Amino acid sequence: MTAADPIRRPPDETPHRRDLIPFRQALRAWFAISWQTFGGPAGQIAVMQRTLVEEKRWIGQQRFNHALSYCMLLPGPEAQQLAIYTGWLLNGTRGGLAAGTLFVLPGVLTLLALSVLYVGWGEMTWVTGLLAGLAPAVTAIVAQAVWRVGRRSLTHPGHIALACAAFAALAVFGVPFPVVIAAAAAAGWLLARYVPRSAEAAGHAAASDGAPPVIADEELHHAPAGWRRAGRILVVGLVLWGLPLAAVAVLTGTGSVFTTQGLFFSGTALITFGGAYAVLAFVAQQAVQTYGWLGPGEMVRGLALAETTPGPLIMVVQFVAFLGAYNNPGSLSPWAAAFLGALLTTWVTFVPCFLFIFLGAPHIERLRGNRTLSAALAGVTAAVVGVIANLALYFATHTLFTDVEPLTTGPLDLHLPDLTTVRSTSLGIAVVAAVLIFRLRWSVLRTLGVCAALGLVAALADLPGT
């Protein structure tokens, strides 16, 4: 189906009353997206924008940016929340459930398999080689995300300035993420008030690019947003969130590793403002030093595994729980304990995302016509480009260099790579990936496959800098 083709439903298919896209067609699209979500939130947002906004034209750019800005204000993985929000817009509650679940399922399964391989067989050459090839490819994917999102979102010089300021605040001065987002919202409101053309430029660019989307930028969603609905969602969400944790506490005891992990990661799910990078330092400190679930080297390897699997980067908590439960199985066998700990941690980490979206999205939709809120969210959207650029820099420095040293002096808070520790093979694979993506316009999956093969060959040949 081309971008301009109408949506055709089979004669015997009666769409759900809230379906704007046939549900089966939406499921196929989300399944395809889910296996391309490499590169952390930057790569994930880029994949969704390319598929939903540019190729399928299911949602307009302005509407996409509005949803993304709201998700950036929430704790938890913003890319998964964006998938839930968009799925809800297209197919109602079941669409949000399907999109959010499919978004994380490949990462859950892949990281479980890699965790089993890691614990059972240790560091194998072929696994090391695949990771060595995928990580540089992800660097190029994230760079493409910065370009794509920035090109379509930064339609006024004021927004470009906001993006640059957000990048500098995070990368150079170490300003906390919530402060950056709050300042961007205030700056967006001031910019729209004193430079009205900035808001007009954003709306015009979103509306005039390509065929009309299925969900028009100016169309309001008519979902109910009453207190009764909110109360029902809150009760159901809290029960689903807490019931497995309560069951584990009853069956294994309040002092078991499973109960401890469930409570700890339930708490981290509520404080992960700014994405996974903002909370991983805290998770690593607690998991290694306080609870002793794994060693510092294992934490680093777990992060490398999570960075090169599809799905949110916060999925690394599944690896942490897997090793922690395996090392402290209690009355269970180590393997059974590992799977129980990993799956419980995954559940308490991602269920809140559905709760936040289903509670807040109807209200955010009704406020889309509010100029003050729209202006503030436009500022957040501009800052998001700077946030993604900062993530791209973080990923590139830690992938292409062995040593990255902190530099803290006065207001500066930098992390500078040691140029003498460049990984030559990784750099070469990153260049190949950049050519394939930017020059030849290859797909993400095709590029990842080629780079994984190059990394495997380099590892088997024992090339330096792998």
Side-chain angles (χ1 to χ4, degrees):
M1 185 184 73
T2 63
D5 287 340
I7 300 297
R8 296 184 178 89
R9 298 186 178 93
D12 60 343
E13 181 178 341
T14 301
H16 186 265
R17 63 186 178 89
R18 290 183 180 176
D19 286 349
L20 297 179
I21 299 295
F23 188 58
R24 291 182 181 179
Q25 184 177 340
L27 284 179
R28 289 194 295 269
W30 286 115
F31 182 78
I33 289 172
S34 69
W35 286 101
Q36 302 178 57
T37 53
F38 293 87
Q44 294 152 11
I45 292 167
V47 168
M48 283 189 283
Q49 172 163 316
R50 183 179 65 248
T51 303
L52 303 175
V53 178
E54 299 177 13
E55 296 177 359
K56 296 185 178 296
R57 300 297 295 164
W58 286 354
I59 182 171
Q61 183 66 51
Q62 191 177 14
R63 196 67 169 272
F64 185 85
N65 289 346
H66 183 87
L68 175 58
S69 298
Y70 170 62
C71 295
M72 291 295 294
L73 300 175
L74 299 174
E78 59 271 21
Q80 190 218 9
Q81 291 163 347
L82 179 61
I84 299 170
Y85 197 127
T86 308
W88 172 77
L89 286 175
L90 292 169
N91 299 99
T93 300
R94 66 172 182 168
L97 290 172
T101 302
L102 286 174
F103 192 86
V104 301
L105 189 59
V108 172
L109 298 177
T110 304
L111 195 55
L112 272 178
L114 290 175
S115 299
V116 170
L117 291 174
Y118 178 83
V119 172
W121 288 273
E123 295 187 17
M124 296 174 291
T125 301
W126 69 271
V127 174
T128 303
L130 290 176
L131 294 177
L134 288 174
V138 171
T139 302
I141 293 170
V142 174
Q144 183 195 41
V146 176
W147 168 252
R148 281 182 175 271
V149 178
R151 178 173 58 89
R152 298 181 66 88
S153 301
L154 304 181
T155 55
H156 186 272
H159 293 146
I160 297 175
L162 276 177
C164 294
F167 173 79
L170 292 166
V172 180
F173 300 105
V175 178
F177 176 84
V179 175
V180 172
I181 294 300
W189 174 75
L190 289 172
L191 184 65
R193 180 171 182 176
Y194 293 104
V195 189
R197 290 185 177 180
S198 62
E200 296 173 4
H204 177 74
S208 62
D209 191 7
V214 174
I215 303 178
D217 285 328
E218 65 276 3
E219 179 183 347
L220 294 180
H221 198 282
H222 298 293
W227 288 106
R228 180 176 299 179
R229 174 190 177 277
R232 185 170 63 251
I233 290 176
L234 185 61
V235 170
V236 173
L238 291 177
V239 169
L240 290 175
W241 188 8
L243 192 59
L245 179 57
V248 163
V250 170
L251 295 175
T252 66
T254 56
S256 70
V257 66
F258 312 107
T259 305
T260 303
Q261 288 179 345
L263 290 173
F264 174 70
F265 289 114
S266 292
T268 59
L270 300 175
I271 63 172
T272 52
F273 292 96
Y277 289 111
V279 78
L280 281 179
F282 171 72
V283 170
Q285 181 185 35
Q286 296 297 309
V288 174
Q289 299 178 12
T290 303
Y291 297 109
W293 290 332
L294 72 174
E298 291 174 321
M299 184 69 199
V300 173
R301 286 188 284 274
L303 179 59
L305 290 174
E307 284 179 326
T308 51
T309 55
L313 182 57
I314 196 64
M315 196 72 74
V316 69
V317 300
Q318 177 186 291
F319 178 84
V320 172
F322 189 97
L323 262 64
Y326 183 89
N327 294 328
N328 303 275
S331 60
L332 300 179
S333 71
W335 287 110
F339 276 91
L340 177 59
L343 294 177
L344 176 64
T345 294
T346 302
W347 181 267
V348 300
T349 298
F350 291 105
V351 166
C353 296
F354 295 93
L355 183 59
F356 296 148
I357 296 300
F358 291 147
L359 275 177
H363 299 279
I364 293 297
E365 283 295 304
R366 288 178 179 271
L367 291 173
R368 287 189 65 250
N370 185 295
R371 293 187 177 182
T372 300
L373 178 64
S374 296
L377 290 181
V380 174
T381 299
V384 165
V385 180
V387 172
I388 297 175
N390 178 58
L391 293 180
L393 177 64
Y394 178 93
F395 199 90
T397 54
H398 286 78
T399 299
L400 303 180
F401 298 89
T402 303
D403 295 329
V404 179
E405 301 293 335
L407 175 62
T408 304
T409 174
L412 298 180
D413 186 8
L414 295 166
H415 289 79
L416 301 177
D418 184 350
L419 299 181
T420 62
T421 64
V422 63
R423 295 169 173 161
S424 55
T425 302
S426 296
L427 180 59
I429 295 176
V431 172
V432 171
V435 172
L436 296 179
I437 287 178
F438 286 97
R439 182 70 176 177
L440 302 181
R441 301 186 183 277
W442 279 23
S443 67
V444 170
L445 287 179
R446 192 179 179 188
T447 301
L448 288 171
V450 170
C451 292
L454 291 175
L456 181 59
V457 170
L460 293 175
D462 197 22
L463 296 179
T466 305

